[in-house]
Amino acid sequence: MAKIRRPDEKATDAASVSMLEKAAADGVTDAFARADAQGRGCGFGTDGVCCRLCHMGPCRIAPRSPLGICGAGADTIAARNLLREVTAGAAAHSDHGRGLVLLLKAVAEGRGGDYQIKDDHRLRTAASEWGVAIDGLPSNEIATKLVAVFQKEFSLQEGKLRTLALAPVPRQGVWDRLGIAPRGIDSSIVEALHRTHMGVDHDYRNLVHGALKTALADGWGGSMIATTASDILFGTPEPVRGCANLGVLDERSVNVLVHGHEPALTEILVAASRDPELVAEAKAVGAAGINLAGICCTANEVLMRHGVPVAGNFLQQELAIVTGAVELMITDVQCCMASLPSVARCYHTKVLTTSPIARSIEAEPLEFDTSNALDCAKTILRKAVANFPNRDPGKVAIPDVKNPLVAGFSNQTIFNMLGGAFRRSFRPLNDAVITGRVRGLAGIVGCTNARGRIDDYIVTLTKELIRRNILVLQTGCAAVACGKQGLLTPEAALEMAGPSLREVCEAVGIPPVLHMGSCVDNSRILMAATYVVQEGGLGNDLSQLPAIGAAPEWMSEKAVAIAHYFVASGIDVVLGRPFHTTGSPGLTGYLCGGLQDVVGAKFHYIPDVNEAVETICTHIENKRDALGINRKMQRKLYDMKDRRELDV
Ligand code: SF4
Ligand code: MSK
């Protein structure tokens, strides 16, 4: 009999708990209820030993049937399944990147409609990074040349990705020696599907290397290009105030939620929602105005650049509708649940899909046309305004729960904040790490998962690491989880950070947890680590840094790809739930052990958060020992004069 959890066993924050109670009272089935109904899940699937790659199968590996019909055992089957997950994740990120490159191409060729190049400086630095000559050229010509380079990164058939050259040189050597430097992004994905076809690659270690290679085509390819193109088109994020949780919905306004991952439409919606004509139309139907807020990573994109409030992370998408106060939810791609229209049916909410590759039964499709973006955005918002009179006040209950936050920590911003506009530099951060005031860096990223108590592991881990003077970098739904708990404010440094991290944060004016963007922006974390290496004093490869990645509550195939590109880059990754490999001791042992000698990093499966804290701290201290920077620090009590003199 499956266990039915109480609302407070499903969610950490008060807003989600109260909406889970309301969902039950309103007769709405949510993801948590469906997770309970699913029970523990199929053991073969959980262990990764179910294969349906050909139609002699499906084959399941068990003691009485240790081999599939073709002779593939648990190691091969689980490794092929894992590589296919990485491939899907890499494809999702990279297709997102491709869309942005095509938009940049249209802008460069004068076909961008309402879009333009917002960050000319970023365009020029990106062109230099990718080896495009810029001398004397106007922006559109530089953009055209850069787009050509980016497009070739997708289509390259031979050689290796040019983007890999952004990584530290020793790391590139590791990839070359191992033969995992990917060629074109698209061809890497095709190759991964080929090698996992029935009867091709059977060696689980070789399949893991394939997973690392495909993931590199994502992190150092498609995702890196996606982030760069977004910054050029929409502006490189700078620190911005915002707030998070369901309390950002406004009972008096037309509430519009953007959900998914693609920033192009959302950027225009931000402008359109402030259009006086549309605001007047909203007032004409009795609303105070139009309130735009976001869910998941589309939310992170517009939070990072405009301070648009975040209504919630992944598992709050249904709960937002349960408030009864959402006129329209606009979905694009990735992480938008199939259930949304059926939840919306219990209220007056309309669900609109805007991508031709992401339709939903019962949701209204309205294909977003980038060449006519503003008109399209206005049409969409008018649907929301028209729906406002249909709201049933008796069904409205918006939790009075939200927390302020500061987001917008692109690397360019971190350079400026640490070094000042005239001596932009990561030096102060390196010095803080070398002197031990910052013990190390942890990238805590990824999703939330309905099988657990959402946000719990992420927030507990983050709080404990900053208490132990580890600076935390975040993206995606993990960042929103911490935003909801007030961890993304400079004040959090005073209240929750360890004493030496607090001093650093106070001196620079940053939170102890830096929100670096959406899940595709994990590329920013790769680059942050790279800039630290390049700054000097902490080794010459990413694998030497006192740094670690963690995906405590991950659920998406994109997270599998992200975890692999971190490990391929030499950065260990802690996973709060294991990959589906536990039916293969050989594969699990290789991922969580053997890889260390191959790429200088490995995975850690750690469901217990306290164990994760200890593992992460030990890992960071071991790296510090190896660098020879673990000199015993003298404890010093700082007075105001000392604080002013702090060199951070
Ligand atoms: Fe079974 Fe092999 Fe076919 Fe997989 S590829 S379904 S293990 S026969
Ligand atoms: S939205 S991939 S649940 S982070 Fe990027 Fe959140 Fe994970 Fe989707």
Side-chain angles (χ1 to χ4, degrees), residues 4 37-38 105 196 281 317 342 455 496 538 584 608:
I4 307 296
Q38 285 286 334
K105 182 169 192 269
T196 52
E281 288 176 29
Q317 57 186 284
S342 66
D455 302 346
M496 290 181 250
L538 290 168
S584 164
D608 178 71

mmCIF file of all heavy atoms in Angstrom, residues 4 37-38 105 196 281 317 342 455 496 538 584 608:
data_model
loop_
_atom_site.group_PDB
_atom_site.id
_atom_site.type_symbol
_atom_site.label_atom_id
_atom_site.label_comp_id
_atom_site.label_asym_id
_atom_site.label_seq_id
_atom_site.Cartn_x
_atom_site.Cartn_y
_atom_site.Cartn_z
ATOM 1 N N ILE A 4 0.579 7.712 1.669
ATOM 2 C CA ILE A 4 0.058 9.021 1.277
ATOM 3 C C ILE A 4 0.655 10.048 2.225
ATOM 4 O O ILE A 4 0.437 9.993 3.437
ATOM 5 C CB ILE A 4 -1.492 9.064 1.380
ATOM 6 C CG1 ILE A 4 -2.120 7.907 0.593
ATOM 7 C CG2 ILE A 4 -2.016 10.417 0.899
ATOM 8 C CD1 ILE A 4 -1.888 7.940 -0.897
ATOM 9 N N ALA A 37 0.760 7.951 -5.597
ATOM 10 C CA ALA A 37 0.028 6.869 -6.271
ATOM 11 C C ALA A 37 0.979 5.944 -7.032
ATOM 12 O O ALA A 37 0.723 4.745 -7.157
ATOM 13 C CB ALA A 37 -1.003 7.466 -7.232
ATOM 14 N N GLN A 38 2.071 6.489 -7.522
ATOM 15 C CA GLN A 38 3.054 5.667 -8.245
ATOM 16 C C GLN A 38 3.795 4.718 -7.307
ATOM 17 O O GLN A 38 4.388 3.732 -7.730
ATOM 18 C CB GLN A 38 4.078 6.564 -8.956
ATOM 19 C CG GLN A 38 3.559 7.247 -10.211
ATOM 20 C CD GLN A 38 3.426 6.284 -11.383
ATOM 21 O OE1 GLN A 38 4.112 5.278 -11.448
ATOM 22 N NE2 GLN A 38 2.500 6.583 -12.283
ATOM 23 N N LYS A 105 20.886 35.765 -35.525
ATOM 24 C CA LYS A 105 21.133 35.857 -36.978
ATOM 25 C C LYS A 105 20.112 36.806 -37.619
ATOM 26 O O LYS A 105 20.470 37.685 -38.409
ATOM 27 C CB LYS A 105 21.023 34.454 -37.597
ATOM 28 C CG LYS A 105 21.307 34.376 -39.082
ATOM 29 C CD LYS A 105 21.423 32.907 -39.489
ATOM 30 C CE LYS A 105 21.987 32.750 -40.887
ATOM 31 N NZ LYS A 105 20.999 32.700 -41.930
ATOM 32 N N THR A 196 24.286 3.812 -28.829
ATOM 33 C CA THR A 196 23.372 3.121 -27.905
ATOM 34 C C THR A 196 22.331 2.284 -28.647
ATOM 35 O O THR A 196 21.450 1.693 -28.022
ATOM 36 C CB THR A 196 22.651 4.133 -26.990
ATOM 37 O OG1 THR A 196 22.047 5.146 -27.800
ATOM 38 C CG2 THR A 196 23.597 4.772 -26.000
ATOM 39 N N GLU A 281 -6.542 48.603 -20.597
ATOM 40 C CA GLU A 281 -7.529 47.549 -20.906
ATOM 41 C C GLU A 281 -7.764 46.663 -19.675
ATOM 42 O O GLU A 281 -8.885 46.234 -19.405
ATOM 43 C CB GLU A 281 -7.040 46.707 -22.090
ATOM 44 C CG GLU A 281 -7.109 47.450 -23.408
ATOM 45 C CD GLU A 281 -6.540 46.640 -24.572
ATOM 46 O OE1 GLU A 281 -6.600 45.397 -24.516
ATOM 47 O OE2 GLU A 281 -6.025 47.256 -25.528
ATOM 48 N N GLN A 317 4.353 24.743 -10.186
ATOM 49 C CA GLN A 317 3.628 25.150 -11.387
ATOM 50 C C GLN A 317 2.136 24.865 -11.261
ATOM 51 O O GLN A 317 1.300 25.688 -11.646
ATOM 52 C CB GLN A 317 4.213 24.503 -12.631
ATOM 53 C CG GLN A 317 4.263 22.993 -12.641
ATOM 54 C CD GLN A 317 4.999 22.467 -13.878
ATOM 55 O OE1 GLN A 317 4.468 22.459 -14.967
ATOM 56 N NE2 GLN A 317 6.247 22.049 -13.698
ATOM 57 N N SER A 342 -5.402 20.173 -17.124
ATOM 58 C CA SER A 342 -6.434 19.550 -16.280
ATOM 59 C C SER A 342 -6.530 20.251 -14.928
ATOM 60 O O SER A 342 -7.611 20.362 -14.354
ATOM 61 C CB SER A 342 -6.191 18.050 -16.119
ATOM 62 O OG SER A 342 -5.012 17.826 -15.403
ATOM 63 N N ASP A 455 12.533 21.337 -1.898
ATOM 64 C CA ASP A 455 13.438 22.408 -1.422
ATOM 65 C C ASP A 455 14.224 22.028 -0.165
ATOM 66 O O ASP A 455 15.183 22.712 0.193
ATOM 67 C CB ASP A 455 12.699 23.729 -1.127
ATOM 68 C CG ASP A 455 11.940 24.297 -2.312
ATOM 69 O OD1 ASP A 455 12.174 23.841 -3.436
ATOM 70 O OD2 ASP A 455 11.120 25.208 -2.101
ATOM 71 N N MET A 496 23.338 34.250 8.382
ATOM 72 C CA MET A 496 23.519 32.804 8.244
ATOM 73 C C MET A 496 24.918 32.356 7.837
ATOM 74 O O MET A 496 25.244 31.176 7.992
ATOM 75 C CB MET A 496 22.513 32.261 7.230
ATOM 76 C CG MET A 496 21.078 32.299 7.741
ATOM 77 S SD MET A 496 19.932 31.637 6.528
ATOM 78 C CE MET A 496 19.080 33.110 6.035
ATOM 79 N N LEU A 538 45.455 28.897 -7.603
ATOM 80 C CA LEU A 538 44.633 27.767 -7.168
ATOM 81 C C LEU A 538 44.745 26.613 -8.168
ATOM 82 O O LEU A 538 43.756 25.953 -8.491
ATOM 83 C CB LEU A 538 43.173 28.206 -6.995
ATOM 84 C CG LEU A 538 42.928 29.138 -5.793
ATOM 85 C CD1 LEU A 538 41.539 29.765 -5.856
ATOM 86 C CD2 LEU A 538 43.079 28.377 -4.472
ATOM 87 N N SER A 584 23.603 -2.013 -11.626
ATOM 88 C CA SER A 584 24.888 -2.359 -12.227
ATOM 89 C C SER A 584 26.021 -1.916 -11.316
ATOM 90 O O SER A 584 26.451 -0.755 -11.370
ATOM 91 C CB SER A 584 25.036 -1.675 -13.598
ATOM 92 O OG SER A 584 26.394 -1.707 -13.991
ATOM 93 N N ASP A 608 21.426 11.355 1.943
ATOM 94 C CA ASP A 608 21.325 12.009 3.253
ATOM 95 C C ASP A 608 22.063 13.355 3.228
ATOM 96 O O ASP A 608 23.262 13.412 2.947
ATOM 97 C CB ASP A 608 21.934 11.103 4.327
ATOM 98 C CG ASP A 608 21.888 11.763 5.692
ATOM 99 O OD1 ASP A 608 20.786 11.879 6.246
ATOM 100 O OD2 ASP A 608 22.961 12.199 6.172
#
